[in-house]
Amino acid sequence: MPTLVIFATSDASLADAWERQLPAGRTALRLLPQSIAGGTSPGFAAVVVLDAAAEANLPGSLTRCPTIFVGEPRSLPYEQAKISGRAKIYLSYEESATRLREFLPLVEEVAEKQSMLDLLLEKTRRTESARPATRAPAAIDAAELWDFLEGAVENLDTRDRLIAEFRRASRHLLRASHAVFFLREAQGFRADRGTSFMPEGDPLVAFLENHPVVIDGTDWEGPADPVAELAVRNRLALWGARLLAPIHENGRLHGLIALGVRDDGQAYDDADRTRVVMFARLLRHFLVKSGQLGRLHHLAEQATLGAKYLPGTLVLAADENPPRQVPLIVRELIGRARRSREICRAAPAEGQPFRASAGLIAETGGVWACWEEASAERHDAETRRRAERRSLLRELALTLSHELGNALVSLATLRQIDPGQTLPAQLLEAARSDVLRLEGLNANIGLMQTLHEAVPVTVDMREVAQSVGATLALRVEVGPDPVPLTLAKGLMEFSLRALIATVIENRSALNAGELTLQVRSTGKGAELTALLSLKGKHLELEGILPEPSEQEVPNQGRLGVFIAKEILRLHQGEIHAGPGMDGTEILISLRSL
């Protein structure tokens, strides 16, 4: 980790000028009376930027750190410091405000090398000195242990309260003055108290993942790695910790426990370290179960809300019977699913308002079922069906009234002629034409009776279009690829003839040969759709284009057009108008039955 920079000055503006010269992302510790409460441990790397006016306030533990002395040249403190070799670098106040950044990296490197040297010397002195007498292990009160386990189990559903119970146990079971728990997040490890954060790429994380050992600040028992040891000791100094215990499993670091000094002031012994390992292992198990219990609580809340707002569901074992409160149709479907071993469904009907389904569970051999009360949906569908039926009857009535009213004009005139009176030739011709129209109307009504009797066959829509074009003297354009659809060929030819014949009559004096019927297709297989485009000038389809609004009486025309629309609907088809190069185009789309 980076070497700590300490600003020892009571002048806030001077400290701000120094801090602006630090590299991006680096911060400095401004020396306060409580900043360094005690001494520093071996391996502590720091650079002190010392104001000559604040030298008296500098703790003795920081005098050994490499120092940049800032004062007024030719002043008594400044000259005495230079004579005694108090610092590595000497700067005036003006120079420190601009040139501190030039010397700081060099002094930081000196501080890091010096801390590594101090660390090695301390280890040498420790190995040469005699090992102190082993302290008698403190007895653990069984009541305290049972109280801790009770509190941990009681707060298992909330991680924060669980950590608080383990912190309380660390004071009673481990005799630690304080404990901080670092738990894994997405980008690193965050302390449960304060703002301390250890990123994923920190050397301490890599060291503990490869060497999951308990680290004692007074006795380094890990492998000889000065860089890792320096990083560890810097972390111990920043956190005020004496013992680090990893929460580790299968090469992955889940967290870290940082324990302060013992409340009796003594060092941690081997029994304490063993107890800390068991403590960390127990915490890992409790954290895993706490996460699982939290997810179970979340699922239980969702299930409770789902039972209130979502369709009913049921999961039964292989030999379990459905409860009596389950609707009868659901129990019937469960029995059918067990007998047929297939998914069974039921739609809402008269006297049965549920939409339900049931099927087997392959993993357990049981049965699942779900159902939903659909009375409102069924009522809405029935209302729509009645409205559509009334609309259809109204359209049919208007169409028949139009057809019969036009044909009965001349026939009603014949009723007013006296017997023996000679009929005008024009009246006879009109009556003859009206009779033919009534005969055609009768034929169309007869066709309506046989719509449900038509047998669908597979035909090429290019052939149907060419047959209609030959009958009406119409130009037809088709592509090289066939357009096979399964439909009622006779009904489709009648529909196209009726629609195109009406368009031709609406064009009055214009020639039918000026119209073009184009056949295309889109999609493949079951999604194949035939597209027929009728192109020409002054196109108008009576009763179809434009569609009437809801408040207006539609301009209904021929019964043949009415039947043609119904035939298109049977074939999942549509007819509408769109802009083309030469004006309006009538577009017809068809799919297989």
Side-chain angles (χ1 to χ4, degrees), residues 30-217:
R30 300 194 182 189
L31 187 64
L32 298 173
Q34 66 273 20
S35 298
I36 306 295
T40 59
S41 61
F44 178 74
V47 174
V48 178
V49 182
L50 177 62
D51 183 0
E55 185 175 9
N57 300 328
L58 187 69
S61 59
L62 296 181
T63 57
R64 50 179 292 276
C65 297
T67 304
I68 300 177
F69 194 90
V70 179
E72 189 63 38
R74 293 184 294 280
S75 64
L76 180 61
Y78 189 87
E79 297 300 330
Q80 285 181 345
K82 290 187 67 174
I83 294 173
S84 63
R86 172 69 181 81
K88 304 294 184 182
I89 303 293
Y90 299 89
L91 298 175
S92 66
Y93 288 110
E94 292 78 8
E95 290 175 337
S96 68
T98 57
R99 301 187 59 193
L100 182 63
R101 64 168 61 92
E102 301 177 12
F103 301 100
L104 193 58
L106 179 61
V107 182
E108 283 182 340
E109 185 176 355
V110 172
E112 184 176 352
K113 300 298 183 182
Q114 179 178 321
S115 65
M116 295 177 64
L117 181 60
D118 292 344
L119 186 62
L120 294 176
L121 292 175
E122 178 65 21
K123 289 183 64 177
T124 303
R125 287 194 299 268
R126 189 182 300 117
T127 55
E128 293 176 353
S129 63
R131 195 173 186 86
T134 304
R135 171 171 44 86
I140 299 177
D141 189 358
E144 293 181 354
L145 179 61
W146 285 111
D147 181 62
F148 156 63
L149 293 177
E150 179 187 2
V153 173
E154 182 180 358
N155 296 288
L156 189 60
D157 58 336
T158 305
R159 194 180 76 165
D160 293 339
R161 293 203 298 266
L162 179 65
I163 293 296
E165 285 296 327
F166 271 84
R167 177 178 289 106
R168 183 174 65 87
S170 69
R171 292 195 295 269
H172 296 291
L173 303 180
L174 303 176
R175 301 293 184 259
S177 58
H178 72 276
V180 179
F181 297 86
F182 290 82
L183 301 179
R184 179 178 285 274
E185 292 184 354
Q187 303 296 329
F189 299 83
R190 187 174 300 278
D192 66 318
R193 282 186 172 182
T195 59
S196 298
F197 181 78
M198 184 168 57
E200 184 76 26
D202 193 277
L204 178 58
V205 176
F207 177 78
L208 291 177
E209 285 184 342
N210 296 323
H211 308 282
V213 297
V214 177
I215 299 176
D216 194 333

Side-chain angles (χ1 to χ4, degrees), residues 2-58:
T3 303
L4 183 63
V5 179
I6 300 175
F7 292 158
T9 180
S10 58
D11 189 344
S13 60
L14 183 61
D16 292 338
W18 293 348
E19 191 163 8
R20 283 193 296 270
Q21 301 180 62
L22 293 178
R26 289 285 301 278
T27 57
L29 176 65
R30 300 194 182 189
L31 187 64
L32 298 173
Q34 66 273 20
S35 298
I36 306 295
T40 59
S41 61
F44 178 74
V47 174
V48 178
V49 182
L50 177 62
D51 183 0
E55 185 175 9
N57 300 328
L58 187 69

Side-chain angles (χ1 to χ4, degrees), residues 361-496:
I361 302 175
E363 292 80 1
T364 63
V367 180
W368 62 266
C370 61
W371 63 94
E372 181 181 9
E373 209 276 340
S375 298
E377 182 180 344
R378 188 171 182 275
H379 177 268
D380 294 341
E382 183 67 19
T383 302
R384 287 194 303 269
R385 188 183 67 81
R386 290 176 179 175
E388 292 173 355
R389 186 175 181 84
R390 287 195 299 267
S391 176
L392 180 64
L393 291 176
R394 177 174 178 269
E395 186 178 357
L396 179 59
L398 289 173
T399 302
L400 289 175
S401 175
H402 179 83
E403 290 269 41
L404 292 174
N406 290 340
L408 291 176
V409 172
S410 60
L411 299 181
T413 305
L414 292 178
R415 186 179 59 182
Q416 300 175 3
I417 297 177
D418 297 331
Q421 184 179 354
T422 303
L423 299 178
Q426 294 180 350
L427 182 59
L428 287 176
E429 183 63 27
R432 194 175 292 110
S433 175
D434 289 342
V435 169
L436 291 176
R437 187 175 300 173
L438 289 175
E439 291 177 350
L441 178 62
N442 183 61
N444 290 339
I445 293 176
L447 179 64
M448 290 179 61
Q449 303 174 7
T450 61
L451 287 180
H452 67 284
E453 301 175 357
V455 178
V457 294
T458 301
V459 298
D460 190 349
M461 282 304 300
R462 299 181 303 173
E463 299 178 359
V464 175
Q466 289 172 348
S467 174
V468 173
T471 303
L472 300 177
L474 190 70
R475 187 168 67 251
V476 178
E477 296 179 357
V478 297
D481 299 327
V483 186
L485 292 180
T486 302
L487 45 78
K489 182 178 179 181
L491 294 180
M492 185 54 60
E493 290 180 349
F494 170 83
S495 176
L496 294 179

Side-chain angles (χ1 to χ4, degrees), residues 199-396:
E200 184 76 26
D202 193 277
L204 178 58
V205 176
F207 177 78
L208 291 177
E209 285 184 342
N210 296 323
H211 308 282
V213 297
V214 177
I215 299 176
D216 194 333
T218 60
D219 186 14
W220 178 267
E221 296 182 355
D225 187 349
V227 176
E229 185 174 353
L230 181 61
V232 169
R233 294 194 180 279
N234 281 336
R235 288 292 183 184
L236 288 172
L238 286 178
W239 298 338
R242 181 61 58 86
L243 203 67
L244 296 180
I247 305 174
H248 188 274
E249 182 184 19
N250 296 331
R252 178 174 174 82
L253 188 64
H254 295 281
L256 185 68
I257 304 175
L259 301 175
V261 298
R262 282 179 58 95
D263 53 7
D264 56 6
Q266 299 186 31
Y268 290 100
D269 57 14
D270 292 338
D272 293 329
R273 296 188 187 93
T274 302
R275 197 175 295 118
V276 168
V277 171
M278 302 303 296
F279 189 76
R281 188 178 302 170
L282 184 63
L283 176 59
R284 175 173 60 82
H285 288 299
F286 268 85
L287 287 176
V288 171
K289 298 303 179 183
S290 176
Q292 294 175 354
L293 186 59
R295 289 191 293 271
L296 286 177
H297 281 180
H298 179 66
L299 292 176
E301 292 176 358
Q302 287 185 327
T304 302
L305 295 175
K308 182 177 180 180
Y309 296 104
L310 298 179
T313 57
L314 183 65
V315 177
L316 299 175
D319 54 351
E320 185 179 0
N321 294 324
R324 296 184 62 85
Q325 68 268 19
V326 175
L328 180 61
I329 184 64
V330 179
R331 285 184 281 170
E332 179 184 347
L333 288 178
I334 291 174
R336 286 167 49 190
R338 282 174 169 169
R339 290 191 301 271
S340 64
R341 309 192 68 80
E342 295 179 351
I343 296 178
C344 301
R345 296 181 174 87
E350 187 69 28
Q352 194 285 103
F354 295 99
R355 175 184 291 103
S357 58
L360 290 180
I361 302 175
E363 292 80 1
T364 63
V367 180
W368 62 266
C370 61
W371 63 94
E372 181 181 9
E373 209 276 340
S375 298
E377 182 180 344
R378 188 171 182 275
H379 177 268
D380 294 341
E382 183 67 19
T383 302
R384 287 194 303 269
R385 188 183 67 81
R386 290 176 179 175
E388 292 173 355
R389 186 175 181 84
R390 287 195 299 267
S391 176
L392 180 64
L393 291 176
R394 177 174 178 269
E395 186 178 357
L396 179 59

